[in-house]
Structures are given as structure tokens and as C-alpha cells.
Amino acid sequence: MKKLSAETWSLAWCIAVFPPIWAVLAPYLKVDVGAVALICAGLYVTNGNKLVDAPKITIGFLLGDLWGWLAVNAMQKSPWNAEVTTFMTLFLLGGAAVIIAAMRSEIIHCPSWLCGWAITLTVLSPLERSLQGSYAIQIAVAMIVGVWYVGAFLNTVQQCILRFTEGHTSNDINFAGRKSS
């Protein structure tokens, strides 16, 4: 059987503790879409857990949330054929998002914009129009929590755990399940 690294054990512990705390707190904060945070944290992690990129990833997600809300409203209010409206809305907003993000890449993360847009479209599309505004705000909150709490904070805690465990040279068992030497 393969032995697990200290990185794996510390990450498992952090994932076991921090996202469930958010899952329990989210309904008390009137956020019904708390799982969105996990998706956003995943994108933050795949970007390399770079804290320096967290602000522009957050901006990208928030722009994506706005884009999703605009797209759903445009598609629902359009008098044209549904397929034509869907194509044109996605064509225009998708192209604009990429161009704007490229022109302002120092402050906007394009992948998070597109991902945030897809998340918001998915959540808002089946909802009644009267709920879409409040859900768009809930999605934005979950996106921010995903990047900063589940992503950046969890990574910081994990790095502290790894530094702490590396500093012990006694016969304590470390996270990898081996005795330290």
C-alpha cells in the first residue's frame, strides 16, 4: 500500500474541516448556493494557490456572476426565437468577456470570469425572475468565500501545518504516518 505524504494528510485534514464549516454557516448567512464556493476554490487551486492572483480571480468570478445575471435576463426578456436569443447572448457576452479580460489581464482573470458566468447561468436559469437578483448576490458571496476562505485561507493553514510538522524531529508520528528521525 502506498504511503501518503504530509501534503496529502494535511490537505485531507484541511478539506475535512474548513469546507464543512462553510457548509454549516452558509444557510445562517442566507446563502443557499454554498457549494459554489467549492467550485471557485477548485479554480483558485488549479491556478497554483497563488495568493497574488486571488484578487483578480475574485474580480473574474464577480464579473462572471454579473454576466450570468445579464445573460439570463436578456434571454428571458427577448421577444425573439429562444435559440437565436441564446446564441446571440452567449456570442456577444462571451466574446466581450474574453476581449475585456485580455485588455485588463492585470486585474481580471479570464478563466474565472468564464467559469463564474457558467456557474451563474446554471443556478439562475431555472429560477423565477423574482429570485434571480437575490441568488446572484448569494452566488457572489459564495464565490468570494471560495477564493478567500476555502482557497487562500485553507492553503495558508495547510502550509502552517506542514511547517510545524517538518520542524519536529522527535519520535512523534508525522502526517505521513512515519516516525520522524
Side-chain angles (χ1 to χ4, degrees):
M1 184 156 90
K2 184 178 178 180
K3 290 190 178 192
L4 301 177
S5 68
E7 289 81 12
T8 300
W9 283 107
S10 60
L11 179 60
W13 185 85
C14 287
I15 292 294
V17 172
F18 296 109
I21 290 171
W22 166 245
V24 169
L25 291 178
Y28 290 103
L29 300 172
K30 307 287 188 225
V31 176
D32 296 329
V33 291
V36 166
L38 299 176
I39 299 166
C40 297
L43 193 125
Y44 173 82
V45 170
T46 61
N47 189 61
N49 277 320
K50 295 182 231 160
L51 189 58
V52 68
D53 286 345
K56 70 184 200 174
I57 291 171
T58 303
I59 290 168
F61 277 128
L62 296 177
L63 288 169
D65 187 35
L66 173 63
W67 240 229
W69 179 83
L70 289 171
V72 167
N73 279 279
M75 290 186 282
Q76 289 176 345
K77 292 178 181 176
S78 174
W80 300 331
N81 171 287
E83 289 82 13
V84 170
T85 299
T86 299
F87 179 84
M88 291 306 296
T89 302
L90 300 179
F91 174 87
L92 293 171
L93 290 177
V98 171
I99 291 167
I100 294 166
M103 291 171 44
R104 299 305 309 263
S105 62
E106 70 281 357
I107 62 167
I108 301 171
H109 187 250
C110 186
S112 64
W113 189 339
L114 298 175
C115 184
W117 183 30
I119 291 166
T120 303
L121 282 171
T122 301
V123 174
L124 296 187
S125 291
L127 296 178
E128 295 176 25
R129 191 174 292 159
S130 63
L131 296 173
Q132 291 173 357
S134 68
Y135 269 80
I137 293 167
Q138 292 178 49
I139 293 166
V141 169
M143 289 174 166
I144 293 166
V145 168
V147 173
W148 291 97
Y149 172 69
V150 182
F153 178 74
L154 187 146
N155 184 57
T156 300
V157 171
Q158 181 192 13
Q159 296 309 310
C160 288
I161 291 169
L162 289 171
R163 279 193 298 276
F164 177 77
T165 59
E166 289 172 3
H168 290 279
T169 56
S170 66
N171 286 331
D172 295 337
I173 301 295
N174 66 23
F175 280 102
R178 298 181 297 259
K179 287 189 176 186
S180 300
S181 51

PDB file of all heavy atoms in Angstrom, residues 82-119:
ATOM      1  N   ALA A  82     -36.056  31.624 -29.113  1.00  0.00           N
ATOM      2  CA  ALA A  82     -35.210  31.256 -27.970  1.00  0.00           C
ATOM      3  C   ALA A  82     -33.806  30.828 -28.396  1.00  0.00           C
ATOM      4  O   ALA A  82     -32.816  31.202 -27.756  1.00  0.00           O
ATOM      5  CB  ALA A  82     -35.877  30.159 -27.152  1.00  0.00           C
ATOM      6  N   GLU A  83     -33.707  30.054 -29.464  1.00  0.00           N
ATOM      7  CA  GLU A  83     -32.389  29.575 -29.899  1.00  0.00           C
ATOM      8  C   GLU A  83     -31.522  30.725 -30.416  1.00  0.00           C
ATOM      9  O   GLU A  83     -30.336  30.801 -30.119  1.00  0.00           O
ATOM     10  CB  GLU A  83     -32.518  28.482 -30.973  1.00  0.00           C
ATOM     11  CG  GLU A  83     -33.031  27.166 -30.453  1.00  0.00           C
ATOM     12  CD  GLU A  83     -34.555  27.117 -30.315  1.00  0.00           C
ATOM     13  OE1 GLU A  83     -35.250  28.013 -30.843  1.00  0.00           O
ATOM     14  OE2 GLU A  83     -35.044  26.176 -29.659  1.00  0.00           O
ATOM     15  N   VAL A  84     -32.135  31.619 -31.189  1.00  0.00           N
ATOM     16  CA  VAL A  84     -31.409  32.785 -31.711  1.00  0.00           C
ATOM     17  C   VAL A  84     -30.970  33.672 -30.553  1.00  0.00           C
ATOM     18  O   VAL A  84     -29.820  34.137 -30.498  1.00  0.00           O
ATOM     19  CB  VAL A  84     -32.277  33.572 -32.727  1.00  0.00           C
ATOM     20  CG1 VAL A  84     -31.625  34.899 -33.091  1.00  0.00           C
ATOM     21  CG2 VAL A  84     -32.540  32.734 -33.967  1.00  0.00           C
ATOM     22  N   THR A  85     -31.879  33.899 -29.609  1.00  0.00           N
ATOM     23  CA  THR A  85     -31.568  34.737 -28.447  1.00  0.00           C
ATOM     24  C   THR A  85     -30.435  34.132 -27.631  1.00  0.00           C
ATOM     25  O   THR A  85     -29.498  34.834 -27.240  1.00  0.00           O
ATOM     26  CB  THR A  85     -32.818  34.913 -27.558  1.00  0.00           C
ATOM     27  OG1 THR A  85     -33.830  35.557 -28.326  1.00  0.00           O
ATOM     28  CG2 THR A  85     -32.505  35.727 -26.325  1.00  0.00           C
ATOM     29  N   THR A  86     -30.507  32.837 -27.376  1.00  0.00           N
ATOM     30  CA  THR A  86     -29.447  32.168 -26.608  1.00  0.00           C
ATOM     31  C   THR A  86     -28.111  32.298 -27.323  1.00  0.00           C
ATOM     32  O   THR A  86     -27.107  32.692 -26.716  1.00  0.00           O
ATOM     33  CB  THR A  86     -29.796  30.682 -26.376  1.00  0.00           C
ATOM     34  OG1 THR A  86     -31.014  30.605 -25.638  1.00  0.00           O
ATOM     35  CG2 THR A  86     -28.685  29.967 -25.632  1.00  0.00           C
ATOM     36  N   PHE A  87     -28.092  31.992 -28.616  1.00  0.00           N
ATOM     37  CA  PHE A  87     -26.844  32.079 -29.366  1.00  0.00           C
ATOM     38  C   PHE A  87     -26.279  33.489 -29.338  1.00  0.00           C
ATOM     39  O   PHE A  87     -25.097  33.692 -29.043  1.00  0.00           O
ATOM     40  CB  PHE A  87     -27.036  31.616 -30.819  1.00  0.00           C
ATOM     41  CG  PHE A  87     -25.777  31.723 -31.618  1.00  0.00           C
ATOM     42  CD1 PHE A  87     -24.839  30.699 -31.575  1.00  0.00           C
ATOM     43  CD2 PHE A  87     -25.490  32.851 -32.380  1.00  0.00           C
ATOM     44  CE1 PHE A  87     -23.641  30.802 -32.282  1.00  0.00           C
ATOM     45  CE2 PHE A  87     -24.300  32.964 -33.090  1.00  0.00           C
ATOM     46  CZ  PHE A  87     -23.377  31.934 -33.037  1.00  0.00           C
ATOM     47  N   MET A  88     -27.105  34.469 -29.643  1.00  0.00           N
ATOM     48  CA  MET A  88     -26.628  35.853 -29.715  1.00  0.00           C
ATOM     49  C   MET A  88     -26.155  36.367 -28.348  1.00  0.00           C
ATOM     50  O   MET A  88     -25.132  37.046 -28.264  1.00  0.00           O
ATOM     51  CB  MET A  88     -27.711  36.775 -30.290  1.00  0.00           C
ATOM     52  CG  MET A  88     -27.995  36.531 -31.767  1.00  0.00           C
ATOM     53  SD  MET A  88     -26.524  36.604 -32.810  1.00  0.00           S
ATOM     54  CE  MET A  88     -26.042  38.306 -32.618  1.00  0.00           C
ATOM     55  N   THR A  89     -26.886  36.024 -27.302  1.00  0.00           N
ATOM     56  CA  THR A  89     -26.489  36.467 -25.958  1.00  0.00           C
ATOM     57  C   THR A  89     -25.150  35.869 -25.570  1.00  0.00           C
ATOM     58  O   THR A  89     -24.245  36.581 -25.111  1.00  0.00           O
ATOM     59  CB  THR A  89     -27.573  36.071 -24.923  1.00  0.00           C
ATOM     60  OG1 THR A  89     -28.816  36.654 -25.314  1.00  0.00           O
ATOM     61  CG2 THR A  89     -27.198  36.533 -23.532  1.00  0.00           C
ATOM     62  N   LEU A  90     -25.010  34.562 -25.766  1.00  0.00           N
ATOM     63  CA  LEU A  90     -23.755  33.903 -25.411  1.00  0.00           C
ATOM     64  C   LEU A  90     -22.609  34.350 -26.315  1.00  0.00           C
ATOM     65  O   LEU A  90     -21.479  34.528 -25.854  1.00  0.00           O
ATOM     66  CB  LEU A  90     -23.927  32.387 -25.441  1.00  0.00           C
ATOM     67  CG  LEU A  90     -24.983  31.822 -24.476  1.00  0.00           C
ATOM     68  CD1 LEU A  90     -25.091  30.309 -24.617  1.00  0.00           C
ATOM     69  CD2 LEU A  90     -24.700  32.227 -23.041  1.00  0.00           C
ATOM     70  N   PHE A  91     -22.896  34.555 -27.587  1.00  0.00           N
ATOM     71  CA  PHE A  91     -21.893  35.027 -28.540  1.00  0.00           C
ATOM     72  C   PHE A  91     -21.355  36.399 -28.123  1.00  0.00           C
ATOM     73  O   PHE A  91     -20.140  36.587 -27.997  1.00  0.00           O
ATOM     74  CB  PHE A  91     -22.527  35.098 -29.934  1.00  0.00           C
ATOM     75  CG  PHE A  91     -21.641  35.699 -30.986  1.00  0.00           C
ATOM     76  CD1 PHE A  91     -20.748  34.913 -31.691  1.00  0.00           C
ATOM     77  CD2 PHE A  91     -21.708  37.065 -31.282  1.00  0.00           C
ATOM     78  CE1 PHE A  91     -19.927  35.468 -32.678  1.00  0.00           C
ATOM     79  CE2 PHE A  91     -20.893  37.629 -32.262  1.00  0.00           C
ATOM     80  CZ  PHE A  91     -20.003  36.826 -32.956  1.00  0.00           C
ATOM     81  N   LEU A  92     -22.269  37.332 -27.895  1.00  0.00           N
ATOM     82  CA  LEU A  92     -21.856  38.697 -27.558  1.00  0.00           C
ATOM     83  C   LEU A  92     -21.181  38.785 -26.192  1.00  0.00           C
ATOM     84  O   LEU A  92     -20.105  39.381 -26.063  1.00  0.00           O
ATOM     85  CB  LEU A  92     -23.064  39.641 -27.617  1.00  0.00           C
ATOM     86  CG  LEU A  92     -23.657  39.866 -29.008  1.00  0.00           C
ATOM     87  CD1 LEU A  92     -24.971  40.633 -28.910  1.00  0.00           C
ATOM     88  CD2 LEU A  92     -22.665  40.585 -29.911  1.00  0.00           C
ATOM     89  N   LEU A  93     -21.794  38.210 -25.171  1.00  0.00           N
ATOM     90  CA  LEU A  93     -21.216  38.304 -23.833  1.00  0.00           C
ATOM     91  C   LEU A  93     -19.920  37.491 -23.709  1.00  0.00           C
ATOM     92  O   LEU A  93     -18.975  37.923 -23.055  1.00  0.00           O
ATOM     93  CB  LEU A  93     -22.234  37.876 -22.779  1.00  0.00           C
ATOM     94  CG  LEU A  93     -23.410  38.830 -22.570  1.00  0.00           C
ATOM     95  CD1 LEU A  93     -24.397  38.264 -21.556  1.00  0.00           C
ATOM     96  CD2 LEU A  93     -22.940  40.207 -22.158  1.00  0.00           C
ATOM     97  N   GLY A  94     -19.877  36.322 -24.343  1.00  0.00           N
ATOM     98  CA  GLY A  94     -18.651  35.511 -24.297  1.00  0.00           C
ATOM     99  C   GLY A  94     -17.483  36.197 -24.973  1.00  0.00           C
ATOM    100  O   GLY A  94     -16.381  36.297 -24.419  1.00  0.00           O
ATOM    101  N   GLY A  95     -17.721  36.699 -26.176  1.00  0.00           N
ATOM    102  CA  GLY A  95     -16.660  37.413 -26.883  1.00  0.00           C
ATOM    103  C   GLY A  95     -16.213  38.652 -26.128  1.00  0.00           C
ATOM    104  O   GLY A  95     -15.011  38.923 -26.008  1.00  0.00           O
ATOM    105  N   ALA A  96     -17.184  39.404 -25.610  1.00  0.00           N
ATOM    106  CA  ALA A  96     -16.851  40.626 -24.855  1.00  0.00           C
ATOM    107  C   ALA A  96     -16.042  40.296 -23.602  1.00  0.00           C
ATOM    108  O   ALA A  96     -15.080  41.007 -23.272  1.00  0.00           O
ATOM    109  CB  ALA A  96     -18.128  41.383 -24.482  1.00  0.00           C
ATOM    110  N   ALA A  97     -16.412  39.226 -22.902  1.00  0.00           N
ATOM    111  CA  ALA A  97     -15.682  38.853 -21.681  1.00  0.00           C
ATOM    112  C   ALA A  97     -14.213  38.570 -21.987  1.00  0.00           C
ATOM    113  O   ALA A  97     -13.317  39.040 -21.277  1.00  0.00           O
ATOM    114  CB  ALA A  97     -16.336  37.638 -21.019  1.00  0.00           C
ATOM    115  N   VAL A  98     -13.963  37.814 -23.024  1.00  0.00           N
ATOM    116  CA  VAL A  98     -12.581  37.468 -23.380  1.00  0.00           C
ATOM    117  C   VAL A  98     -11.796  38.716 -23.774  1.00  0.00           C
ATOM    118  O   VAL A  98     -10.655  38.911 -23.343  1.00  0.00           O
ATOM    119  CB  VAL A  98     -12.547  36.401 -24.495  1.00  0.00           C
ATOM    120  CG1 VAL A  98     -11.133  36.201 -25.028  1.00  0.00           C
ATOM    121  CG2 VAL A  98     -13.130  35.090 -23.991  1.00  0.00           C
ATOM    122  N   ILE A  99     -12.389  39.576 -24.565  1.00  0.00           N
ATOM    123  CA  ILE A  99     -11.699  40.795 -25.007  1.00  0.00           C
ATOM    124  C   ILE A  99     -11.421  41.724 -23.826  1.00  0.00           C
ATOM    125  O   ILE A  99     -10.303  42.228 -23.664  1.00  0.00           O
ATOM    126  CB  ILE A  99     -12.508  41.506 -26.113  1.00  0.00           C
ATOM    127  CG1 ILE A  99     -12.472  40.657 -27.389  1.00  0.00           C
ATOM    128  CG2 ILE A  99     -11.973  42.910 -26.375  1.00  0.00           C
ATOM    129  CD1 ILE A  99     -13.473  41.081 -28.452  1.00  0.00           C
ATOM    130  N   ILE A 100     -12.427  41.959 -22.997  1.00  0.00           N
ATOM    131  CA  ILE A 100     -12.242  42.846 -21.839  1.00  0.00           C
ATOM    132  C   ILE A 100     -11.193  42.267 -20.889  1.00  0.00           C
ATOM    133  O   ILE A 100     -10.306  42.997 -20.423  1.00  0.00           O
ATOM    134  CB  ILE A 100     -13.585  43.073 -21.104  1.00  0.00           C
ATOM    135  CG1 ILE A 100     -14.555  43.852 -21.996  1.00  0.00           C
ATOM    136  CG2 ILE A 100     -13.360  43.816 -19.781  1.00  0.00           C
ATOM    137  CD1 ILE A 100     -16.001  43.846 -21.504  1.00  0.00           C
ATOM    138  N   ALA A 101     -11.275  40.960 -20.615  1.00  0.00           N
ATOM    139  CA  ALA A 101     -10.295  40.338 -19.715  1.00  0.00           C
ATOM    140  C   ALA A 101      -8.883  40.429 -20.287  1.00  0.00           C
ATOM    141  O   ALA A 101      -7.923  40.672 -19.549  1.00  0.00           O
ATOM    142  CB  ALA A 101     -10.676  38.889 -19.430  1.00  0.00           C
ATOM    143  N   ALA A 102      -8.748  40.268 -21.591  1.00  0.00           N
ATOM    144  CA  ALA A 102      -7.419  40.356 -22.213  1.00  0.00           C
ATOM    145  C   ALA A 102      -6.865  41.775 -22.124  1.00  0.00           C
ATOM    146  O   ALA A 102      -5.664  41.967 -21.898  1.00  0.00           O
ATOM    147  CB  ALA A 102      -7.495  39.905 -23.669  1.00  0.00           C
ATOM    148  N   MET A 103      -7.745  42.755 -22.266  1.00  0.00           N
ATOM    149  CA  MET A 103      -7.301  44.153 -22.194  1.00  0.00           C
ATOM    150  C   MET A 103      -6.952  44.554 -20.763  1.00  0.00           C
ATOM    151  O   MET A 103      -6.182  45.492 -20.561  1.00  0.00           O
ATOM    152  CB  MET A 103      -8.388  45.077 -22.751  1.00  0.00           C
ATOM    153  CG  MET A 103      -8.569  44.921 -24.254  1.00  0.00           C
ATOM    154  SD  MET A 103     -10.011  45.785 -24.959  1.00  0.00           S
ATOM    155  CE  MET A 103      -9.988  47.351 -24.183  1.00  0.00           C
ATOM    156  N   ARG A 104      -7.492  43.887 -19.773  1.00  0.00           N
ATOM    157  CA  ARG A 104      -7.253  44.219 -18.368  1.00  0.00           C
ATOM    158  C   ARG A 104      -6.763  42.986 -17.601  1.00  0.00           C
ATOM    159  O   ARG A 104      -7.145  42.760 -16.456  1.00  0.00           O
ATOM    160  CB  ARG A 104      -8.537  44.748 -17.726  1.00  0.00           C
ATOM    161  CG  ARG A 104      -9.099  46.010 -18.350  1.00  0.00           C
ATOM    162  CD  ARG A 104      -8.115  47.184 -18.408  1.00  0.00           C
ATOM    163  NE  ARG A 104      -7.466  47.481 -17.157  1.00  0.00           N
ATOM    164  CZ  ARG A 104      -7.840  48.411 -16.291  1.00  0.00           C
ATOM    165  NH1 ARG A 104      -8.868  49.171 -16.558  1.00  0.00           N
ATOM    166  NH2 ARG A 104      -7.173  48.601 -15.181  1.00  0.00           N
ATOM    167  N   SER A 105      -5.903  42.199 -18.220  1.00  0.00           N
ATOM    168  CA  SER A 105      -5.451  40.938 -17.625  1.00  0.00           C
ATOM    169  C   SER A 105      -4.702  41.121 -16.306  1.00  0.00           C
ATOM    170  O   SER A 105      -4.588  40.187 -15.525  1.00  0.00           O
ATOM    171  CB  SER A 105      -4.586  40.154 -18.610  1.00  0.00           C
ATOM    172  OG  SER A 105      -3.426  40.890 -18.941  1.00  0.00           O
ATOM    173  N   GLU A 106      -4.215  42.320 -16.037  1.00  0.00           N
ATOM    174  CA  GLU A 106      -3.523  42.541 -14.758  1.00  0.00           C
ATOM    175  C   GLU A 106      -4.500  42.589 -13.589  1.00  0.00           C
ATOM    176  O   GLU A 106      -4.097  42.404 -12.433  1.00  0.00           O
ATOM    177  CB  GLU A 106      -2.682  43.825 -14.807  1.00  0.00           C
ATOM    178  CG  GLU A 106      -3.471  45.121 -14.844  1.00  0.00           C
ATOM    179  CD  GLU A 106      -4.045  45.505 -16.205  1.00  0.00           C
ATOM    180  OE1 GLU A 106      -3.812  44.796 -17.209  1.00  0.00           O
ATOM    181  OE2 GLU A 106      -4.745  46.528 -16.255  1.00  0.00           O
ATOM    182  N   ILE A 107      -5.798  42.799 -13.866  1.00  0.00           N
ATOM    183  CA  ILE A 107      -6.784  42.847 -12.777  1.00  0.00           C
ATOM    184  C   ILE A 107      -7.953  41.876 -12.957  1.00  0.00           C
ATOM    185  O   ILE A 107      -8.763  41.718 -12.052  1.00  0.00           O
ATOM    186  CB  ILE A 107      -7.344  44.274 -12.545  1.00  0.00           C
ATOM    187  CG1 ILE A 107      -8.082  44.775 -13.780  1.00  0.00           C
ATOM    188  CG2 ILE A 107      -6.245  45.230 -12.111  1.00  0.00           C
ATOM    189  CD1 ILE A 107      -8.922  46.021 -13.516  1.00  0.00           C
ATOM    190  N   ILE A 108      -8.049  41.233 -14.133  1.00  0.00           N
ATOM    191  CA  ILE A 108      -9.165  40.308 -14.394  1.00  0.00           C
ATOM    192  C   ILE A 108      -8.613  38.962 -14.852  1.00  0.00           C
ATOM    193  O   ILE A 108      -7.831  38.894 -15.806  1.00  0.00           O
ATOM    194  CB  ILE A 108     -10.115  40.859 -15.482  1.00  0.00           C
ATOM    195  CG1 ILE A 108     -10.698  42.215 -15.071  1.00  0.00           C
ATOM    196  CG2 ILE A 108     -11.242  39.856 -15.755  1.00  0.00           C
ATOM    197  CD1 ILE A 108     -11.469  42.920 -16.187  1.00  0.00           C
ATOM    198  N   HIS A 109      -9.041  37.913 -14.206  1.00  0.00           N
ATOM    199  CA  HIS A 109      -8.673  36.542 -14.562  1.00  0.00           C
ATOM    200  C   HIS A 109      -9.770  35.993 -15.476  1.00  0.00           C
ATOM    201  O   HIS A 109     -10.887  35.731 -15.037  1.00  0.00           O
ATOM    202  CB  HIS A 109      -8.550  35.726 -13.271  1.00  0.00           C
ATOM    203  CG  HIS A 109      -8.036  34.352 -13.451  1.00  0.00           C
ATOM    204  ND1 HIS A 109      -8.830  33.250 -13.283  1.00  0.00           N
ATOM    205  CD2 HIS A 109      -6.799  33.886 -13.741  1.00  0.00           C
ATOM    206  CE1 HIS A 109      -8.121  32.161 -13.466  1.00  0.00           C
ATOM    207  NE2 HIS A 109      -6.880  32.522 -13.754  1.00  0.00           N
ATOM    208  N   CYS A 110      -9.462  35.838 -16.744  1.00  0.00           N
ATOM    209  CA  CYS A 110     -10.449  35.419 -17.736  1.00  0.00           C
ATOM    210  C   CYS A 110     -11.079  34.055 -17.412  1.00  0.00           C
ATOM    211  O   CYS A 110     -12.300  33.916 -17.496  1.00  0.00           O
ATOM    212  CB  CYS A 110      -9.832  35.418 -19.133  1.00  0.00           C
ATOM    213  SG  CYS A 110     -11.025  35.085 -20.449  1.00  0.00           S
ATOM    214  N   PRO A 111     -10.295  33.020 -17.047  1.00  0.00           N
ATOM    215  CA  PRO A 111     -10.942  31.732 -16.751  1.00  0.00           C
ATOM    216  C   PRO A 111     -11.973  31.822 -15.622  1.00  0.00           C
ATOM    217  O   PRO A 111     -13.017  31.174 -15.689  1.00  0.00           O
ATOM    218  CB  PRO A 111      -9.769  30.825 -16.367  1.00  0.00           C
ATOM    219  CG  PRO A 111      -8.601  31.405 -17.092  1.00  0.00           C
ATOM    220  CD  PRO A 111      -8.822  32.896 -17.050  1.00  0.00           C
ATOM    221  N   SER A 112     -11.701  32.626 -14.597  1.00  0.00           N
ATOM    222  CA  SER A 112     -12.683  32.729 -13.520  1.00  0.00           C
ATOM    223  C   SER A 112     -13.916  33.505 -13.984  1.00  0.00           C
ATOM    224  O   SER A 112     -15.035  33.234 -13.537  1.00  0.00           O
ATOM    225  CB  SER A 112     -12.076  33.337 -12.250  1.00  0.00           C
ATOM    226  OG  SER A 112     -11.663  34.666 -12.442  1.00  0.00           O
ATOM    227  N   TRP A 113     -13.745  34.458 -14.894  1.00  0.00           N
ATOM    228  CA  TRP A 113     -14.887  35.175 -15.449  1.00  0.00           C
ATOM    229  C   TRP A 113     -15.802  34.192 -16.183  1.00  0.00           C
ATOM    230  O   TRP A 113     -17.010  34.133 -15.952  1.00  0.00           O
ATOM    231  CB  TRP A 113     -14.418  36.274 -16.386  1.00  0.00           C
ATOM    232  CG  TRP A 113     -15.493  37.224 -16.863  1.00  0.00           C
ATOM    233  CD1 TRP A 113     -16.848  37.015 -16.890  1.00  0.00           C
ATOM    234  CD2 TRP A 113     -15.301  38.535 -17.386  1.00  0.00           C
ATOM    235  NE1 TRP A 113     -17.493  38.108 -17.406  1.00  0.00           N
ATOM    236  CE2 TRP A 113     -16.558  39.059 -17.709  1.00  0.00           C
ATOM    237  CE3 TRP A 113     -14.171  39.308 -17.612  1.00  0.00           C
ATOM    238  CZ2 TRP A 113     -16.737  40.327 -18.252  1.00  0.00           C
ATOM    239  CZ3 TRP A 113     -14.342  40.575 -18.148  1.00  0.00           C
ATOM    240  CH2 TRP A 113     -15.612  41.082 -18.461  1.00  0.00           C
ATOM    241  N   LEU A 114     -15.208  33.383 -17.061  1.00  0.00           N
ATOM    242  CA  LEU A 114     -16.000  32.429 -17.837  1.00  0.00           C
ATOM    243  C   LEU A 114     -16.611  31.352 -16.941  1.00  0.00           C
ATOM    244  O   LEU A 114     -17.777  30.965 -17.123  1.00  0.00           O
ATOM    245  CB  LEU A 114     -15.140  31.818 -18.940  1.00  0.00           C
ATOM    246  CG  LEU A 114     -14.604  32.822 -19.979  1.00  0.00           C
ATOM    247  CD1 LEU A 114     -13.662  32.139 -20.945  1.00  0.00           C
ATOM    248  CD2 LEU A 114     -15.732  33.536 -20.699  1.00  0.00           C
ATOM    249  N   CYS A 115     -15.858  30.889 -15.970  1.00  0.00           N
ATOM    250  CA  CYS A 115     -16.374  29.891 -15.029  1.00  0.00           C
ATOM    251  C   CYS A 115     -17.504  30.491 -14.182  1.00  0.00           C
ATOM    252  O   CYS A 115     -18.549  29.856 -13.985  1.00  0.00           O
ATOM    253  CB  CYS A 115     -15.228  29.396 -14.147  1.00  0.00           C
ATOM    254  SG  CYS A 115     -15.678  28.085 -13.008  1.00  0.00           S
ATOM    255  N   GLY A 116     -17.314  31.701 -13.697  1.00  0.00           N
ATOM    256  CA  GLY A 116     -18.345  32.373 -12.911  1.00  0.00           C
ATOM    257  C   GLY A 116     -19.610  32.604 -13.713  1.00  0.00           C
ATOM    258  O   GLY A 116     -20.726  32.484 -13.196  1.00  0.00           O
ATOM    259  N   TRP A 117     -19.441  32.922 -14.971  1.00  0.00           N
ATOM    260  CA  TRP A 117     -20.579  33.112 -15.868  1.00  0.00           C
ATOM    261  C   TRP A 117     -21.360  31.807 -16.000  1.00  0.00           C
ATOM    262  O   TRP A 117     -22.590  31.785 -15.880  1.00  0.00           O
ATOM    263  CB  TRP A 117     -20.042  33.598 -17.209  1.00  0.00           C
ATOM    264  CG  TRP A 117     -21.057  33.922 -18.265  1.00  0.00           C
ATOM    265  CD1 TRP A 117     -22.329  34.377 -18.083  1.00  0.00           C
ATOM    266  CD2 TRP A 117     -20.860  33.841 -19.670  1.00  0.00           C
ATOM    267  NE1 TRP A 117     -22.938  34.588 -19.305  1.00  0.00           N
ATOM    268  CE2 TRP A 117     -22.044  34.263 -20.292  1.00  0.00           C
ATOM    269  CE3 TRP A 117     -19.792  33.465 -20.464  1.00  0.00           C
ATOM    270  CZ2 TRP A 117     -22.197  34.309 -21.677  1.00  0.00           C
ATOM    271  CZ3 TRP A 117     -19.932  33.523 -21.837  1.00  0.00           C
ATOM    272  CH2 TRP A 117     -21.126  33.934 -22.425  1.00  0.00           C
ATOM    273  N   ALA A 118     -20.642  30.695 -16.209  1.00  0.00           N
ATOM    274  CA  ALA A 118     -21.294  29.388 -16.352  1.00  0.00           C
ATOM    275  C   ALA A 118     -22.011  28.978 -15.060  1.00  0.00           C
ATOM    276  O   ALA A 118     -23.133  28.463 -15.099  1.00  0.00           O
ATOM    277  CB  ALA A 118     -20.260  28.332 -16.744  1.00  0.00           C
ATOM    278  N   ILE A 119     -21.375  29.225 -13.930  1.00  0.00           N
ATOM    279  CA  ILE A 119     -21.996  28.897 -12.648  1.00  0.00           C
ATOM    280  C   ILE A 119     -23.303  29.667 -12.492  1.00  0.00           C
ATOM    281  O   ILE A 119     -24.348  29.097 -12.147  1.00  0.00           O
ATOM    282  CB  ILE A 119     -21.045  29.231 -11.471  1.00  0.00           C
ATOM    283  CG1 ILE A 119     -19.841  28.287 -11.456  1.00  0.00           C
ATOM    284  CG2 ILE A 119     -21.786  29.183 -10.133  1.00  0.00           C
ATOM    285  CD1 ILE A 119     -18.707  28.750 -10.550  1.00  0.00           C
TER     286      ILE A 119
END
